[in-house]
Amino acid sequence: MTTCTGRVWKFGDDVHGDDGIIEFSIIRDSFGKEFDEEALRAMCFRRMRPEFAQQVRRGDIIVGGRNFAHHNHVEVSVALRASGISVVVVESCDSGFLRRALNHGLPVMICPGIHEAVQDGEILSADPATGLVTLPKGQELRAKPFSERMVQVWQAGGSIPLLEREFAARRAAAGR
């Protein structure tokens, strides 16, 4: 199953990744080291929505406007995933955010019209495999669907877990 259904947390245009979603200045000394997921989760959207860390639930969905998560390091994607976000659906974002998020098992869908179509707290369904986004009253929007490989990366929890699983399967098949 590839459909994510959850409560919407809605954000506007030009949400800065490193100085909006997280506070990179606080964690920059740990850049390149193992992620402190709890610290990232605790600071996620703290400046924009102080209630986020306490109220977000596993499976919730982020909806964003244009240029979402611009200027971001990988910690942004880790913070969102650690917060329990199942999918991010935005009007637009840079390709770096898409890649970094997917590498950590967080799907990001670009879906024109999404920002005006939903409100905070509504229930949304989004399927990265098909690109189908179902709005609260049953209307549908279309995003570009993920490729088969992107779905594999997402469902494995990221690039590294997928590659580890594939490598282990090859070793087992070779009798090692």
Side-chain angles (χ1 to χ4, degrees):
M1 176 149 186
T2 57
T3 301
C4 302
T5 301
R7 177 180 57 156
V8 169
W9 287 85
K10 186 175 175 182
F11 296 89
D13 294 340
D14 299 312
V15 173
H16 197 287
D18 287 347
D19 193 29
I21 298 174
I22 65 167
E23 299 165 61
F24 188 74
S25 61
I26 293 172
I27 60 164
R28 79 171 151 243
D29 290 339
S30 63
F31 184 70
K33 299 177 184 166
E34 190 171 332
F35 299 116
D36 182 344
E37 289 190 16
E38 185 55 34
L40 290 169
R41 189 195 66 70
M43 76 170 55
C44 196
F45 291 115
R46 181 167 50 200
R47 289 184 179 172
M48 299 178 76
R49 302 277 299 267
E51 74 280 11
F52 182 83
Q54 296 302 316
Q55 295 179 9
V56 67
R57 296 187 302 249
R58 183 154 304 286
D60 282 356
I61 295 173
I62 298 293
V63 169
R66 293 183 310 273
N67 200 27
F68 186 81
H70 66 89
H71 294 97
N72 72 86
H73 285 85
V74 69
E75 288 84 355
V76 170
S77 302
V78 174
L80 291 168
R81 183 184 45 80
S83 294
I85 297 302
S86 63
V87 63
V88 176
V89 186
V90 298
E91 293 283 338
S92 68
C93 65
D94 70 45
S95 61
F97 176 59
L98 288 170
R99 286 190 313 274
R100 284 186 285 279
L102 186 59
N103 280 337
H104 286 276
L106 178 67
V108 176
M109 299 172 67
I110 297 176
C111 183
I114 189 62
H115 193 261
E116 291 300 317
V118 297
Q119 298 304 315
D120 237 15
E122 292 183 325
I123 302 300
L124 180 73
S125 293
D127 186 340
T130 65
L132 183 64
V133 177
T134 306
L135 304 173
K137 294 181 180 164
Q139 308 97 316
E140 296 176 345
L141 295 175
R142 290 276 174 190
K144 183 177 179 184
F146 279 22
S147 69
E148 183 178 329
R149 187 63 171 173
M150 290 170 73
V151 171
Q152 291 171 346
V153 170
W154 163 46
Q155 291 187 326
S159 297
I160 300 299
L162 178 61
L163 292 172
E164 288 173 339
R165 186 170 58 205
E166 289 176 347
F167 183 69
R170 285 189 201 124
R171 289 187 64 180
R176 294 183 193 185

